[in-house]
Amino acid sequence: MAHPLLSPEGGATHLLLGNEAIVRGALEAGIQVVTCYPGTPSSEVPDTFYRLAPNAKYKFEYSANEKVALEVGGGASLSGAMTLTTMKHVGVNVAADPLLTLSYTGTPGGMMLLSADDPGCHSSQNEQDNRYYGRLAGLPVFEPSSAQEAKDMARDGLLLSQKHESPLLLRTTTRVNHLRGPVEFGPMPAPGKPEGFTRNPAKRVPIPAFARPMHERLLKRIAALREEAEKSPYNKIHGTGAIGIAASGISRAYLADAIMETGLAGKFKVMELGFSHPLPENMALDFMKSVDKLIVIEELEPILENDLRVLAQKNGLNLTIEGKGLLPPNGEFTVTMVANVLRAQVGEETFACDSCIPAELPQRPPNLCAGCPHRATYFAARKVFGDDAIYSSDIGCYTLGLLPPLSMADFLVCMGSSISAGCGASLANDKPVVAFIGDSTFFHSGLTGLASAVFNNHDVLLVILDNHTTAMTGHQPHPGVEMTIHGANEHRLDIARACEGLGVEHIRQVNPLNQKKTTAALEELKEMSGVRVLIAREPCPLHTRRVYKKTAPMVAYVADSCTGRAECLDKLACPAFYKEGDKAAVNPILCSGCMLCLQVCTHIKSKKRGR
Amino acid sequence: MSDIKPIRIMLTGVGGQGTLTATTLLAKTVLAEGLPVTSGEIHGMAQRGGVVESTVLIGCKSPKIGLGEADVLLGFEPLETMRAMPYLRKGGLVLSSTEFLPPLSVAMGKQENPSLETVKEVVAQCTDKSFYLPCQTLGLEAGAVQAGNLALLGALTATDAVPVSLQTLAETIKSNLPAKIVDVNIKALELGVRSLENT
């Protein structure tokens, strides 16, 4: 049976994840090319396209990083293909260079950039507000608040982008990407073939002489898009009160529930902006003139608030505007927070949360899985370097090595920074620097840093944690993988050869589950200077189970001779272990059979699984 | 949408327990009842043994539940039930599993879990409406430990807290889960209902 998302018919209603709704919307627009680099909370968009790809007509790729993804997408759109490129918010920093020029060259096939922002830092290193990129690059910005809107805006955003030959920013936040709601499908026409490339260097090659008129065209385009925002069904005014509220994105959902909760519908007039940039100035001006006071409700930065303040000042409006003074510029909102703002405006008592707060409880932080090869690499590296080295970390599951007892992350900046920031640390320290990077991150942005490290003869040991997949974000393929859900990777890049090609002279390759060889290789590399690379190769056990369809035949158990020394518990922190009385024990269901623990203690033995 | 009394259901459990599958089944059941539904989840770390919190909201637009906003708390693990208590509004309903999945620090003997009695005391300070089920045991009795989550959903339909019937939930299971595990899960539902009725 064909997947419901690929149904050509409209009319049916399905409960969809926000990210699945975006996929359906793009399909309804006739999407032809999809590119991405995965990252929470955006990943289910490309992962769904990837899973459906064998039965669908679009072209799909996991690119090596976000810049590459946007450039591949840009090239496709310049050649007339309707294109979607997806990434998480910090990925747009990586892709900012092509983004700011694609807005000059234009994107004739239509091009939508999904930026999945993460207020609350559920799975990110910062809370940056990518609506600023819409302003910086001069792009139209859509901000959905429900699954239905995610679908409709993905479709209409692509069509609008095509009409104006402008990239469009579909800006979501974690709550929108990961909500589920009913979505009524529209029809899905066949995508047809891209129009193909039309030569016009004056419009597509931004040398200074051409870039200046391109900028003029961009300014005209922004004016035209402002007209579109004025009449967009995603921008609407409702309610009758004397106090105005302007809201965008998911805050519109919090606001709707807060109005229902407080029963204050008659007191407030609401302007909802789903098509939030360029600001529909006439609409906003009329709205501000019709109220005595304006409250702006938006998560993160005061972007809409500042736009409205400027507009009011320019037009000499004498009305009070409040926003970030009432609600914070960090973290997520809740319905109660918004409801309390409404209550305070009409002089009602605010709601103080009186729910019970339990005493401090044992925490449950995420942990490296049982059998994770990163644990083995870290265990060996700690044995060889102890607290004497500086550990430069990177982004992936292995960042979890930060937690004790492994404690193998001293600093982290961004994707690929382990190598380059590690080089910097070596300039200012006498201690050895050990940098850790995953295989996907290495292809994402480690290669350039490594080339620079070799050229500048830095003194750094790089450990590449090659678990054959992009584990953290949901096991997406990257250039170095052997296997994918659709079969073998026929164009696999070999990491050791890549390092060799970049001029690294000292390269060792080990299976980290072999502690003796791993420790020996680290000892050897420790005595050398310059750029050295250890590649620790062993697939992620989850990936092994899912894609290689393999389970290790043996599991570990603790023999009765256990002395209760507990080195296994204290130093490995493997979730398959537990303490039973004075002794250690292994849960055979959780044990993946990696046999690292057998190399740590002689009282740990192996037996056939299931015995 | 406005004439439906909003109901906010918070679900909490441990990564790998199937909390998100249960959440999606409940959301689909609400939709099958013809009610407006929004559901939310925070994952990413879910597979690595962390806490998994999710929501099902009836008659609301927001997918999020803030502190003191939940009408119902479904705890698939008692330590997580206790941790999530700040989300429950005073007097809300709690349905919780009684069977602990100790976090690493407890398993390693570095910290101690609260006792089930302590969990119940904390819950009782906030509400007098609570029910406890041995979910994993019920799941095993039905035929698979993971089906224990469905026992908790079954028990929920036996309360008057949500306008969702056992029959619609069973239909949703039939049309959404692989055929070979449908019977086990339906049996778990029934065990959950019976367990609640016997309390």
Side-chain angles (χ1 to χ4, degrees), chain A residues 15 17 40 44 122 174-175 178-182 250 253-254 256-257 260-261 332-336 351 353-358 361-364 366-367 369 397 400 471-472 542 546 569-570 573-575 577-579, chain B residues 6 8 14 24 27-28 31 37-43 45 47-51 59-64 66-69 77 79-80 82-83 85-86 88 90 101-104 106-108 110-113 122 126:
Chain A
L15 187 80
L17 194 67
T40 314
E44 295 83 1
H122 294 287
T174 302
R175 294 286 168 183
H178 288 167
L179 61 72
R180 275 176 212 275
I250 190 68
Y254 299 140
D257 288 352
M260 177 173 68
E261 198 79 18
E332 295 184 293
F333 295 166
T334 65
V335 172
T336 302
F351 169 90
C353 176
D354 60 350
S355 58
C356 63
I357 310 292
L361 296 173
Q363 293 298 307
R364 204 187 287 275
N367 184 26
C369 303
C397 284
L400 296 175
M472 186 58 135
L542 300 177
R546 257 185 241 152
L569 298 177
D570 290 342
C574 170
F577 273 85
Y578 60 98
K579 198 170 181 186
Chain B
R8 297 183 170 88
V14 179
T24 308
K28 286 189 171 171
L31 187 64
V37 66
T38 313
S39 167
E41 53 198 59
I42 290 296
H43 44 77
M45 297 288 185
Q47 257 163 349
R48 289 149 198 95
V51 181
C60 298
K61 287 198 167 158
S62 148
K64 187 182 170 185
L67 299 181
E69 291 180 3
E77 199 276 348
L79 176 64
E80 295 318 318
M82 188 164 161
R83 201 191 311 277
M85 282 307 290
L88 191 75
K90 275 264 156 82
L101 295 169
L104 198 60
V106 173
M108 301 290 168
K110 311 280 177 215
Q111 272 186 300
E112 269 189 44
N113 253 355
V122 167
C126 194

Side-chain angles (χ1 to χ4, degrees), chain B residues 107-129:
Chain B
M108 301 290 168
K110 311 280 177 215
Q111 272 186 300
E112 269 189 44
N113 253 355
S115 68
L116 185 60
E117 279 59 47
T118 309
V119 174
K120 288 184 177 178
E121 274 167 33
V122 167
V123 171
Q125 284 163 22
C126 194
T127 181
D128 53 3
K129 281 183 271 177

Side-chain angles (χ1 to χ4, degrees), chain B residues 141-166:
Chain B
E141 196 182 329
V145 68
Q146 297 88 340
N149 293 342
L150 276 296
L152 207 65
L153 292 191
L156 175 65
T157 65
T159 70
D160 55 5
V162 293
V164 169
S165 74
L166 179 65

